[in-house]
Amino acid sequence: CETCKQAVPGDCPVVYADRAGYSRQWHPACFVCCRCSEPLVDLIYFWKSGAAWCGRHYCESLRPRCAGCDEIIFSEDYQQAEGLAWHKKHFACLECETLLTGKPFALDNAGLLCTTC
């Protein structure tokens, strides 16, 4: 098994990933996302950089995820601050909903706040 490195008995089901080649195999429970360890045996998986990825983390490896709505940002026009990304329309004060692009703001665990709120 590629993950646990244990032998796979001949009577045990195995998982093959087409893009990994048929020389690599996994126990069904060991075929997991390289980022979150979610079991992938019954899900669509993606193969990138020699590893299996769940759909969520594969997409995040290509595009940022909005901290406001948790959706992938496909537009090239988005706001970034402190390692996070937002759709322009979601970069707004949590309390008064004022758009904060180009304005001072505070970021805490609850979200974005304008200087007034």
Side-chain angles (χ1 to χ4, degrees):
C1 174
E2 289 291 318
T3 300
C4 72
K5 305 300 183 204
Q6 298 295 312
V8 180
D11 61 345
C12 179
V14 295
V15 174
Y16 292 99
D18 284 340
R19 294 199 173 205
Y22 284 101
S23 62
R24 298 174 75 183
Q25 60 186 0
W26 292 261
H27 294 103
C30 293
F31 190 63
V32 298
C33 173
C34 66
R35 293 279 304 276
C36 68
S37 299
E38 177 179 12
L40 298 173
V41 75
D42 291 325
L43 300 176
I44 294 172
Y45 69 90
F46 298 84
W47 190 259
K48 179 181 174 189
S49 303
W53 297 64
C54 69
R56 180 179 182 89
H57 290 112
Y58 175 75
C59 290
E60 284 179 1
S61 77
L62 302 175
R63 302 292 309 160
R65 186 172 293 278
C66 179
C69 71
D70 200 40
E71 296 293 324
I72 294 293
I73 301 172
F74 291 102
S75 169
E76 295 300 325
D77 187 29
Y78 61 92
Q79 184 67 43
Q80 287 185 286
E82 299 188 32
L84 299 172
W86 288 265
H87 292 105
K88 290 277 188 179
K89 66 183 179 183
H90 295 143
F91 193 68
C93 177
L94 187 62
E95 295 295 323
C96 68
E97 299 181 3
T98 298
L99 291 178
L100 298 172
T101 302
K103 298 178 181 174
F105 65 91
L107 178 63
D108 68 7
N109 291 339
L112 295 165
L113 294 171
C114 68
T115 54
T116 305
C117 293

